[in-house]
Amino acid sequence: MSWVSASELKVTVISTFGGTAGGAEQWLASVLAHSRGLRVRAIILEAGPLADVLAAQGAEILVLPTGSSARDMANTARLLLADLRAHRPEVIVANGVKAMAAVAGPAVALGIPRVWVKHDHSFDASLARPLGRIATKVIATALEVGMPTCRKDLVVIEPERPADPESRSSALAALAHLGYTATDQPTCAIIGRLVPYKGVDVGIASLAYDPARRWRLVVIGAASPATPDELERLTALAADLGVIDRVDFLGSIPGAGRLVSAFDALAVLTRPGQPNAPDREGYGITATEAMLGGIPVVIAGPGPVARRLQTPAGPAGIMVAQADPYAVAEALATLTDPDSRLKMGQAGRNAALLQPDAQQVADEFVGVLRTASRR
């Protein structure tokens, strides 16, 4: 085992996903990059580029691809028990509900403090409270996300303020280099993994209604291993509704949030209906990126995004009913007016600039780990 200074805190981080496009993984990569005084071993439950990102930051890496069946979870728990016994961290960080479910038993068995970072509303009805009780500390990236755990000592650490997006001209040039051709029609973007619960189908269906007849939709994101046929499903839906000529699927674009200025609105349309998936949006980092870019946001349902859109200078977007394509179409109709978009965009940018920076978020995170480890 490599030498560890007396002042460093030995931490084992368990990450549910191995990608780098999701908000939970971006949060983890950033907070570890800016954390001081940690010696990190990262165990990732899905193959993907996150392993390389964390390794470049100096973390030891172990990838344990884990399915969703009870047998898969039990096997991973056995492997985690052996790894934790061999490396003896002072504290465990479980980044996501699956990570917490996998490591809870081994951590309790070995008496190692565990910090659960909760990013979304997955399994709120069944696992939020029991996993919350098992955790030494619970960190939530938004108050609403953490409330289902019923922890009175809940710690809320919202994600850092993202970097300013590119200018509109630079963003359009970058997208043109990737093959995207802009038009003079107003364009709404949806950015995220292609999974049913993200509500891309709701955005596509909204284009079929008359209020949204002038709008185009750009979808940025790749299919998830859990739903590998989602792109085909969405493409077929757009064709069936007769709007395929107004929908562009651009695939995965690293750092896509920096390019939001190329568009006229961003939609965050997380919806219920996919088994074992969140039924509403968590913090929604892309919404903050849009706000920084001066772009209004269309959000489905109440929650952290809708709360942030209500700024002292006025609304920075429009909240619609979940899974309601016609409501989305009406929102886009309102945003057809350039002056409305400009006013909402300015309100959003002013509010987003008040978010904490990366170092503030990391320092608070490390403080929670030291408290949990009794350092």
Side-chain angles (χ1 to χ4, degrees):
M1 184 180 296
S2 57
W3 179 83
V4 179
S5 77
S7 63
E8 286 184 314
L9 188 67
K10 287 181 61 179
V11 181
T12 290
V13 175
I14 318 293
S15 176
T16 297
F17 296 111
T20 55
E25 296 72 58
Q26 292 176 11
W27 186 93
L28 179 65
S30 178
V31 79
L32 293 181
H34 292 88
S35 292
R36 296 172 284 202
L38 302 184
R39 182 76 169 184
V40 178
R41 178 173 174 79
I43 302 177
I44 305 173
L45 305 186
E46 179 185 89
L50 182 63
D52 292 335
V53 170
L54 299 186
Q57 295 176 4
E60 298 177 18
I61 303 295
L62 174 63
V63 179
L64 293 178
T66 303
S68 57
S69 71
R71 182 175 181 177
D72 290 334
M73 293 291 285
N75 184 58
T76 292
R78 178 179 58 81
L79 296 173
L80 288 175
L81 179 63
D83 192 88
L84 295 173
R85 183 177 283 132
H87 291 87
R88 285 289 173 177
E90 295 173 88
V91 63
I92 294 166
V93 176
N95 194 52
V97 64
K98 183 177 181 179
M100 184 61 189
V103 80
V108 171
L110 297 175
I112 303 173
R114 46 266 168 210
V115 175
W116 178 22
V117 185
K118 191 173 186 298
H119 294 271
D120 59 36
H121 293 281
S122 300
F123 298 96
D124 272 358
S126 56
L127 294 180
R129 291 188 70 176
L131 291 181
R133 286 196 298 268
I134 292 171
T136 308
K137 289 284 186 181
V138 177
I139 295 173
T141 52
L143 175 62
E144 296 89 338
V145 168
M147 288 175 65
T149 65
C150 298
R151 287 288 296 249
K152 294 181 179 179
D153 61 344
L154 177 73
V155 180
V156 178
I157 304 180
E158 291 196 346
E160 69 190 69
R161 180 180 67 252
D164 270 2
E166 301 283 347
S167 68
R168 184 176 178 86
S169 59
S170 295
L172 285 171
L175 291 170
H177 185 70
L178 297 172
Y180 171 68
T181 302
T183 71
D184 58 359
Q185 294 174 281
T187 304
C188 180
I190 296 179
I191 302 174
R193 287 190 295 265
L194 296 188
V195 289
Y197 76 84
K198 285 296 185 179
V200 177
D201 49 1
V202 178
I204 291 172
S206 74
L207 299 184
Y209 289 100
D210 190 60
R213 67 188 181 279
R214 295 180 56 185
W215 281 80
R216 298 184 63 85
L217 180 67
V218 169
V219 180
I220 300 176
S224 165
T227 55
D229 300 326
E230 182 67 359
L231 177 58
E232 288 75 12
R233 183 182 81 88
L234 295 171
T235 303
L237 174 65
D240 290 344
L241 293 174
V243 298
I244 190 66
D245 61 326
R246 290 191 283 140
V247 181
D248 292 289
F249 295 98
L250 302 188
S252 178
I253 300 177
R258 299 289 305 278
L259 305 179
V260 292
S261 303
F263 309 113
D264 301 291
L266 176 84
V268 181
L269 304 177
T270 302
R271 62 164 177 81
Q274 182 181 345
N276 301 327
D279 60 0
R280 55 196 183 278
E281 189 64 24
Y283 178 81
I285 191 67
T286 58
T288 301
E289 290 172 323
M291 292 167 71
L292 280 172
I295 306 301
V297 178
V298 178
I299 176 66
V305 175
R307 169 169 51 81
R308 296 203 306 280
L309 294 180
Q310 299 306 310
T311 82
I318 300 174
M319 187 183 80
V320 301
Q322 279 184 308
D324 188 339
Y326 188 76
V328 175
E330 288 189 314
L332 293 177
T334 299
L335 296 177
T336 302
D337 174 34
D339 290 337
S340 295
R341 295 200 303 267
L342 179 62
K343 185 176 181 180
M344 290 185 182
Q346 289 175 337
R349 177 165 174 78
N350 291 339
L353 287 172
L354 300 178
Q355 290 292 110
D357 64 25
Q359 194 59 60
Q360 291 171 311
V361 170
D363 288 348
E364 190 171 359
F365 171 73
V366 172
V368 174
L369 300 194
R370 290 192 173 275
T371 299
S373 67
R374 305 177 184 87
R375 272 285 205 113

